[in-house]
């Protein structure tokens, strides 16, 4: 069956299937045709030669008196095939030419083959593209339907739903489309790749490609927030003090960030430095506006007041409140922006003190005492620093303080001296650390004093007579 070996090689090349997968498909196809011809396939044996030719056999039991010729063969007939050594009860394989199968049997086999091919092809495609979730992929505009854009990705189609599109972008026939893979779905006989050009992760992936310091881990992206088509804010940092994380992302003469902006059709991108101090971070997050001062008005509710010059107020707020809205999302704080003239009559130095006093003298029922067990639970502790503390085993307060005292905390990779000091300030703000000296119980307990009932002189438990007045007494056991 040289045609069959040729067909197997074609399938392997065309569908990208392994030799074993194709052999299994061919075997199932032949067995389906065999079952259609003979009513069952339990005794159908399919063998492959070294050059991928296929041989088909029917395994039969030798009997003296046959009832079912599909699975049984007469002794005399078996001797004609295999010689006089055959005996009743032996199993023999009778070679069959599949070309002798009826047309209906062949049609059944082909149908099974198509089904198996589609299932295998679909499974292989799913596994191939499942690994691409979270990556940027390139395809070409194919068509648009109900606002959704379908993208030709080669073996499969991708779809760019309306909700995942940049509202300022438009595409035409054969336009090149770069997009972020968010999900893979099985549809019909294939799969569909869900794409996005509006996700914050898309910008993060683009930056990782353009900025070598990000791809090699020297610069970290803390967070990306975005209103697609209008503005994106990216907070970056580096554990290496000699590296400027913002400058690395912007690149020489703005070349790196401009490449990303060009891909996003001119969307504005603010790259700013992340800081563990929320006041500094909020100030940076409100860029391009210049902030005069940031005051924390409520730590638990994460509320802050940002003061800007009157001329900077519109820039800080942004069109339709976009700039401050993105800053809120980036910092995870509620930021109230005020003009300098609005707070001119306020004593800003007393804001934190007054807030603390209000909380101190608030009705008891309105105060909720929060108990913290670990450093990572404290407000203001950065998530990445919390993970480092957990991994190092210094997340509980006792271990943290001990490690800071003996210097081992400063040896933890990823924790700079500046970060450790900031963490210590937060711990001291929320947790009272007490030094407890181990003391013998007998020394801790103060001795109780006893006096004579007659003259009032001081006596002890081992006395039976007062040394002052001579009165006799007896102590009762408790």
């Amino acid at each position: 069956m040289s045609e069959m070996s040729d067909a197997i090689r074609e399938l392997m090349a065309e569908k990208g299937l392994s030799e074993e997968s194709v052999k299994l498909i061919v075997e199932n196809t032949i067995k389906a045709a065999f079952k259609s011809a003979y009513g069952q396939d339990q005794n159908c044996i399919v063998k492959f030669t070294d050059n991928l030719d296929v041989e088909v056999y029917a395994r039969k039991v030798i009997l003296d008196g046959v009832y079912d010729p599909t699975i049984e063969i007469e002794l005399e007939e078996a001797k004609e095939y295999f010689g006089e050594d055959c005996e009743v009860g032996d199993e023999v394989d009778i070679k069959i030419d599949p070309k002798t199968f009826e047309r209906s049997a062949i049609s059944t086999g082909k149908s099974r083959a198509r089904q198996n091919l589609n299932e295998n092809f679909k499974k292989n495609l799913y596994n191939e593209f499942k690994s691409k979730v979270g990556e940027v992929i390139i395809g070409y505009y194919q068509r648009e339907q109900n606002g959704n854009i379908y993208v030709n990705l080669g073996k499969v189609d991708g779809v760019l739903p309306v909700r995942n599109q940049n509202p300022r972008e438009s595409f035409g026939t054969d336009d090149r489309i770069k997009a972020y893979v968010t999900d893979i779905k099985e549809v019909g006989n294939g799969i569909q790749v869900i794409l996005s050009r509006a996700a914050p992760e898309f910008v993060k992936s683009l930056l990782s490609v353009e900025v070598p310091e990000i791809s090699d881990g020297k610069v970290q992206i803390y967070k990306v927030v975005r209103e697609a088509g209008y503005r994106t804010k990216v907070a970056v940092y580096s554990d290496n003090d000699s590296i400027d994380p913002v400058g690395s992302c912007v690149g020489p003469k703005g070349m790196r960030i401009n490449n990303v902006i060009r891909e996003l059709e001119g969307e504005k991108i603010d790259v700013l430095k992340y800081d563990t101090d929320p006041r500094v971070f909020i100030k940076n997050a409100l860029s391009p506006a210049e902030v005069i001062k940031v005051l924390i008005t409520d730590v638990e509710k994460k509320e802050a007041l940002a003061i800007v010059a009157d001329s900077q107020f519109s820039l800080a707020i942004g069109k339709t409140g976009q700039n401050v809205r993105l800053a809120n999302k980036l910092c995870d704080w509620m930021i109230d922006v005020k003009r300098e003239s609005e707070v001119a009559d306020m004593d800003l130095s007393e804001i934190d003190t007054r807030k603390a006093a209000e909380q101190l003298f608030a009705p008891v029922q309105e105060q909720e005492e929060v108990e913290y067990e670990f450093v990572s639970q404290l407000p203001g502790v950065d998530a990445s620093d919390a993970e480092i503390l957990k991994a190092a085993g210094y997340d509980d307060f006792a271990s943290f303080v001990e490690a800071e005292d003996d210097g081992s905390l400063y040896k933890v990779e990823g924790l700079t001296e500046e970060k450790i000091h900031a963490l210590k300030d937060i711990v001291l703000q929320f947790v009272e650390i007490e030094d407890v000296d181990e003391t013998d119980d007998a020394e801790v307990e103060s001795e109780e004093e006893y006096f004579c009932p007659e003259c009032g002189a001081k006596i002890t438990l081992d006395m039976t007579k007062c040394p002052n007045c001579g009165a006799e007494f007896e102590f009762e056991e408790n």
Side-chain angles (χ1 to χ4, degrees):
M1 295 179 68
S2 60
E3 315 93 35
M4 184 64 76
S5 62
D6 291 340
I8 289 175
R9 291 187 176 91
E10 280 182 29
L11 280 173
M12 290 168 60
E14 180 183 340
K15 299 291 187 180
L17 300 174
S18 67
E19 182 177 316
E20 291 303 317
S21 296
V22 176
K23 282 182 177 180
L24 183 60
I25 291 170
V26 171
E27 182 178 347
N28 290 337
T29 301
I30 292 173
K31 284 187 175 182
F34 188 96
K35 185 175 183 178
S36 180
Y38 300 106
Q40 54 84 34
D41 62 358
Q42 288 91 338
N43 66 324
C44 178
I45 307 298
V46 181
K47 298 179 180 179
F48 294 89
T49 64
D50 292 338
N51 62 354
L52 295 182
D53 278 335
V54 182
E55 296 176 347
V56 184
Y57 297 87
R59 181 162 292 173
K60 299 184 180 183
V61 179
I62 300 175
L63 294 176
D64 189 5
V66 170
Y67 294 96
D68 186 352
T70 301
I71 57 175
E72 300 167 351
I73 185 172
E74 287 284 359
L75 177 61
E76 295 302 322
E77 186 180 356
K79 288 181 178 180
E80 292 177 8
Y81 282 108
F82 305 102
E84 294 296 326
D85 292 338
C86 294
E87 296 181 358
V88 172
D90 290 347
E91 288 185 339
V92 293
D93 292 341
I94 309 298
K95 192 170 185 178
I96 295 176
D97 185 357
K99 292 180 181 179
T100 61
F101 291 166
E102 295 181 0
R103 184 179 297 274
S104 60
I106 295 173
S107 177
T108 300
K110 285 182 177 180
S111 176
R112 174 66 65 86
R114 280 193 295 270
Q115 181 181 351
N116 288 340
L117 275 172
N118 288 336
E119 289 176 357
N120 277 270
F121 186 56
K122 182 177 179 179
K123 181 180 178 181
N124 286 352
L125 279 179
Y126 185 87
N127 291 335
E128 177 184 345
F129 281 88
K130 188 68 177 176
S131 63
K132 297 183 184 297
V133 172
E135 297 180 3
V136 170
I137 197 169
I138 297 174
Y140 294 88
Y141 179 93
Q142 193 174 54
R143 70 184 190 280
E144 183 176 337
Q145 183 177 342
N146 298 326
N148 300 323
I149 295 174
Y150 289 84
V151 182
N152 182 0
L153 299 175
K155 296 178 182 179
V156 298
D157 286 341
V159 61
L160 191 60
V162 178
R163 66 180 181 278
N164 292 353
Q165 295 175 26
N166 185 331
R168 297 176 64 178
E169 296 176 339
S170 60
F171 298 98
T173 305
D174 294 330
D175 276 354
R176 177 177 172 275
I177 298 177
K178 183 184 289 186
Y180 179 80
V181 180
T182 63
D183 197 9
I184 307 293
K185 290 185 178 180
E186 296 186 18
V187 290
N189 292 328
I191 65 169
Q192 192 174 71
V193 182
I194 311 301
L195 306 172
S196 177
R197 283 183 60 85
E201 292 81 6
F202 182 49
V203 178
K204 188 174 182 178
S205 296
L206 294 176
L207 281 169
S208 298
V209 173
E210 294 292 336
V211 183
E213 290 85 348
I214 292 178
S215 58
D216 62 20
K218 293 178 181 177
V219 172
Q220 304 285 335
I221 296 178
Y222 172 74
K223 193 175 182 180
V224 179
V225 293
R226 185 183 183 201
E227 291 191 7
Y230 303 99
R231 193 174 215 102
T232 290
K233 286 186 180 288
V234 184
V236 295
Y237 67 95
S238 175
D239 293 329
N240 189 335
D241 295 335
S242 65
I243 295 177
D244 175 13
V246 176
S248 298
C249 294
V250 173
K253 297 181 180 180
M255 179 179 64
R256 293 174 177 176
I257 198 65
N258 283 335
N259 288 339
V260 179
I261 292 173
R262 195 177 300 114
E263 178 63 41
L264 301 178
E265 299 290 339
E267 183 175 316
K268 294 178 181 178
I269 301 179
D270 300 328
V271 182
L272 54 103
K273 187 176 180 181
Y274 166 72
D275 200 287
T276 54
D277 186 338
R279 292 166 295 186
V280 178
F281 190 25
I282 290 170
K283 188 174 183 178
N284 295 343
L286 286 169
S287 64
E290 294 181 7
V291 180
I292 297 173
K293 191 171 186 178
V294 175
L295 298 171
I296 304 301
T297 56
D298 194 312
V299 174
E300 290 184 6
K301 294 181 180 179
K302 302 185 81 171
E303 296 176 351
L305 171 65
I307 302 166
V308 299
D310 289 26
S311 61
Q312 293 284 307
F313 183 75
S314 296
L315 190 60
I317 296 297
K319 188 176 181 181
T320 68
Q322 184 184 83
N323 193 60
V324 70
R325 187 164 57 248
L326 286 174
N328 285 340
K329 291 180 181 178
L330 188 68
C331 301
D332 196 26
W333 279 72
M334 287 297 297
I335 306 169
D336 183 16
V337 180
K338 296 287 187 184
R339 296 180 180 88
E340 190 175 16
S341 60
E342 290 181 284
V343 297
D345 297 332
M346 296 174 59
D347 187 353
L348 300 180
S349 63
E350 294 183 358
I351 284 184
D352 291 337
T353 305
R354 185 173 65 249
K355 187 65 180 178
E358 289 174 357
Q359 293 178 347
L360 180 63
F361 293 105
V364 175
Q365 63 270 22
E366 294 181 2
Q367 294 183 3
E368 293 184 3
E369 185 176 346
V370 180
E371 293 186 2
Y372 298 104
E373 296 182 16
F374 301 101
V375 179
S376 58
Q377 296 174 337
L378 299 178
V381 173
D382 176 55
S384 59
D385 293 341
E387 291 302 319
I388 294 173
L389 286 175
K390 290 177 184 177
Y394 299 141
D395 193 23
D396 63 279
F397 299 120
S399 299
F400 177 87
V401 172
E402 184 179 346
E404 200 276 333
D405 286 341
D406 63 23
S408 57
L409 192 62
Y410 295 86
K411 299 177 183 178
V412 176
E413 186 176 352
L415 287 182
T416 62
E417 186 173 345
E418 181 184 356
K419 287 185 176 182
I420 292 172
H421 289 164
L423 286 168
K424 186 177 179 181
D425 289 342
I426 294 173
V427 170
L428 293 176
Q429 182 181 355
F430 290 96
V431 181
E432 184 178 350
I433 307 296
E434 295 182 356
D435 293 327
V436 179
D437 295 330
E438 293 184 0
T439 310
D440 185 82
D441 291 342
E443 295 178 356
V444 173
E445 293 180 1
S446 59
E447 292 186 359
E448 188 175 352
E449 294 182 335
Y450 299 91
F451 302 93
C452 175
E454 297 294 331
C455 66
K458 189 174 180 180
I459 58 176
T460 60
L461 288 174
D462 58 344
M463 294 180 180
T464 57
K465 186 176 183 180
C466 176
N468 184 44
C469 67
E472 294 183 356
F473 47 77
E474 183 178 348
F475 287 96
E476 295 181 0
E477 294 185 0
N478 291 331

